[in-house]
Amino acid sequence: MSQNAQANQSAFSVPEDIQSAVTAMADDARTASRALATADRSRKDRALQRIAEAIDAQREVILRSNASDVSRGKDKGLAENLVDRLTLTDERIDGLIDALHNLASQVDPIGEILDGQTLPNGLRVSRVRVPLGVVGAIYEARPNVTVDIAGLALKSGNAAMLRGGSAALETNKTLVGIIRDALDNAGFPMDCVQTVDEFGRDGANALMLARGKVDVLIPRGGGNLIQSVVNNARVPVIETGEGNVHIYLDSTATEEQAVPLVVNSKVHRPSACNSAETLLIQRDAPAAGSVLQGLLDAGVRLHVDDDAAELAGGLSDQVVAAQSDDWDSESLALDMSVRVVDSMDQALDHIRTYSTGHTELIITNDLAKADAFVSEVDSATVMVNASTRFTDGGELGLGAEVGISTQKLHARGPMGLAQLTSSQWVVRGQGHTRG
């Protein structure tokens, strides 16, 4: 039995011809990555600019491909939040182009000396930032991720292997074709960016089994997709998590401060993983009624406990009694769970019980409470008086992002250029031998 077949038996079934094809693609990606790893910043930045120019020039083609995917998705009953993530507009394409220009303007992380010293015996030791090599990504209904990961991989010296899912098949095919042509025009191997979409779900499974060929795999999507990759992959995985995001409204928060923060955190783009899902209200918070009214005016459906129902004026079509599963679910829609708590400690207990470790926000004018909240919350991002929507690589100055990691090893929070690198020890001597 071949090595591929043995790997398949240990996890799930992948046709051997597809596993072999994906393995061959990974070998091509490894070869291509060497050209990126040794390229200087100016060459990589020119390639990013070429990709941005090509996307701009081909935007009508991209939009037509995307319209086809969106139409097919709606016909198949694709969830509203996934349709939103799937949809590209001129404005969103402008955002992709801006992100590529932003990446080109950033310092090249490769070759950065992280630390070093000269030892008493004269050895000069340094730790240097280097690319990971071949980065795989599995995601769904998110064509923006195709461009983000390709750009980040290029700038950080990595080759990218992508599985973008069936919902965005035409859009991703168009985008990858544009990116590969731009890479070729910039003098880089086209295989720096590849897609396994032609192999469907088997292509994703083959990526998961390509240990030794793919250096790291990053899943982005719903909980089922992420857990499937985490539980089945033989390739090392950086886990990106669901966003069961909490807001704690302290009693010192003012109405003018709290209403726009809560409404923006929930309403700005409810299908995003950094959209707030649960509001925890301090029992004596004077801004509570105005905050709830602001959410209702914005079209949010509130899932409330008994005390929050009273604050919201009673149950109605838009104010419903919270069920037990409301507290641990990510709605990704205009729905929000609301609970009244007696203290910040009770709010923290709730967050510890239900949080996915993504983002939590405190709205307060008490510095001591803000500092305590930051110290107590064990999530990738903790916000103080700032919308949860800022948990985003672009908004936090990283340019594009590969995803938002909720794990604690290697990368945590929005993953930009630095999180797609590893380190290498370099030791320089003058004929040193160890006695």
Side-chain angles (χ1 to χ4, degrees):
M1 182 181 294
S2 72
Q3 184 178 6
N4 286 343
Q6 289 174 346
N8 293 346
Q9 276 195 344
S10 64
F12 33 60
S13 177
V14 178
E16 189 164 358
D17 60 332
I18 292 179
Q19 187 69 55
S20 296
V22 171
T23 297
M25 292 173 68
D27 288 336
D28 292 338
R30 177 78 58 195
T31 301
S33 72
R34 297 189 189 109
L36 286 173
T38 56
D40 61 26
R41 173 182 173 177
S42 62
R43 285 193 64 210
K44 293 188 287 187
D45 289 348
R46 282 197 299 271
L48 289 168
Q49 300 287 4
R50 290 282 182 89
I51 295 171
E53 292 164 3
I55 289 174
D56 192 19
Q58 296 292 321
R59 70 168 63 221
E60 293 304 321
V61 178
I62 296 168
L63 289 171
R64 283 198 300 271
S65 297
N66 186 249
S68 176
D69 285 332
V70 170
S71 177
R72 187 177 66 254
K74 289 180 177 178
D75 289 344
K76 291 184 175 181
L78 193 66
E80 184 176 343
N81 64 294
L82 291 179
V83 171
D84 177 63
R85 289 179 173 182
L86 173 61
T87 302
L88 289 180
T89 62
D90 273 313
E91 183 180 4
R92 290 182 180 180
I93 290 177
D94 287 341
L96 296 177
I97 293 169
D98 289 345
L100 289 167
H101 289 312
N102 184 284
L103 279 174
S105 71
Q106 292 191 36
V107 174
D108 189 346
I110 303 306
E112 176 189 358
I113 298 175
L114 300 173
D115 50 57
Q117 61 178 315
T118 299
L119 301 178
N121 63 4
L123 283 176
R124 290 179 294 146
V125 179
S126 59
R127 189 166 60 93
V128 180
R129 199 181 292 281
V130 296
L132 289 169
V134 178
V135 175
I138 299 176
Y139 49 102
E140 54 188 0
R142 302 167 189 239
N144 63 297
V145 174
T146 300
V147 179
D148 288 345
I149 292 183
L152 283 162
L154 171 60
K155 182 73 179 228
S156 58
N158 298 290
M161 295 187 67
L162 310 175
R163 163 58 178 162
S166 58
L169 189 62
E170 295 301 320
T171 313
N172 286 332
K173 181 179 178 181
T174 298
L175 287 171
V176 171
I178 291 170
I179 292 167
R180 284 168 60 86
D181 287 344
L183 285 169
D184 187 47
N185 291 334
F188 283 106
M190 298 173 75
D191 287 339
C192 290
V193 177
Q194 300 181 79
T195 175
V196 300
D197 280 347
E198 65 181 291
F199 303 117
R201 185 170 296 178
D202 285 330
N205 294 342
L207 272 180
M208 295 185 216
L209 297 179
R211 186 172 182 86
K213 301 293 183 178
V214 175
D215 292 294
V216 66
L217 194 55
I218 302 168
R220 283 192 64 176
N224 290 338
L225 181 148
I226 292 168
Q227 290 309 309
S228 175
V229 175
V230 170
N231 293 329
N232 292 304
R234 287 178 167 266
V235 172
V237 174
I238 296 178
E239 182 174 355
T240 61
E242 297 172 85
N244 191 16
V245 174
H246 296 79
I247 299 174
Y248 169 56
L249 178 64
D250 179 44
S251 58
T252 65
T254 66
E255 175 183 327
E256 294 77 15
Q257 173 189 33
V259 174
L261 279 176
V262 176
V263 172
N264 183 259
S265 294
K266 177 71 256 185
V267 175
H268 183 254
R269 193 175 177 189
S271 65
C273 62
N274 55 19
S275 169
E277 299 290 359
T278 296
L279 173 63
L280 302 171
I281 300 174
Q282 180 67 38
R283 185 171 298 279
D284 56 348
S290 297
V291 166
L292 295 182
Q293 190 58 53
L295 289 167
L296 292 171
D297 291 344
V300 179
R301 189 168 187 247
L302 303 179
H303 301 246
V304 297
D305 70 358
D306 291 342
D307 292 324
E310 185 175 345
L311 287 173
L315 299 180
S316 65
D317 290 342
Q318 203 177 341
V319 180
V320 300
Q323 305 301 311
S324 58
D325 60 354
D326 285 328
W327 307 114
D328 61 5
S329 62
E330 184 185 30
S331 73
L332 301 174
L334 287 175
D335 288 87
M336 193 170 203
S337 303
V338 186
R339 178 187 177 188
V340 174
V341 295
D342 293 321
S343 64
M344 189 172 78
D345 285 341
Q346 189 176 12
L348 289 168
D349 285 341
H350 182 105
I351 291 170
R352 292 187 192 102
T353 301
Y354 298 107
S355 173
T356 55
H358 191 292
T359 300
E360 326 299 346
L361 160 65
I362 182 173
I363 306 175
T364 184
N365 283 301
D366 185 324
L367 181 59
K369 282 189 175 180
D371 289 344
F373 189 84
V374 171
S375 298
E376 291 283 347
V377 169
D378 186 18
S379 292
T381 305
V382 185
M383 297 287 185
V384 178
N385 299 331
S387 171
T388 64
R389 290 283 289 128
F390 283 108
T391 302
D392 174 88
E395 296 295 332
L396 297 183
L398 304 179
E401 69 178 32
V402 179
I404 297 173
S405 170
T406 55
Q407 65 176 30
K408 297 186 180 181
L409 299 178
H410 174 63
R412 195 180 191 194
M415 294 184 290
L417 292 171
Q419 287 71 41
L420 287 182
T421 66
S422 182
S423 62
Q424 181 180 67
W425 288 97
V426 178
V427 181
R428 300 183 186 275
Q430 294 179 320
H432 285 68
T433 59
R434 181 174 175 178

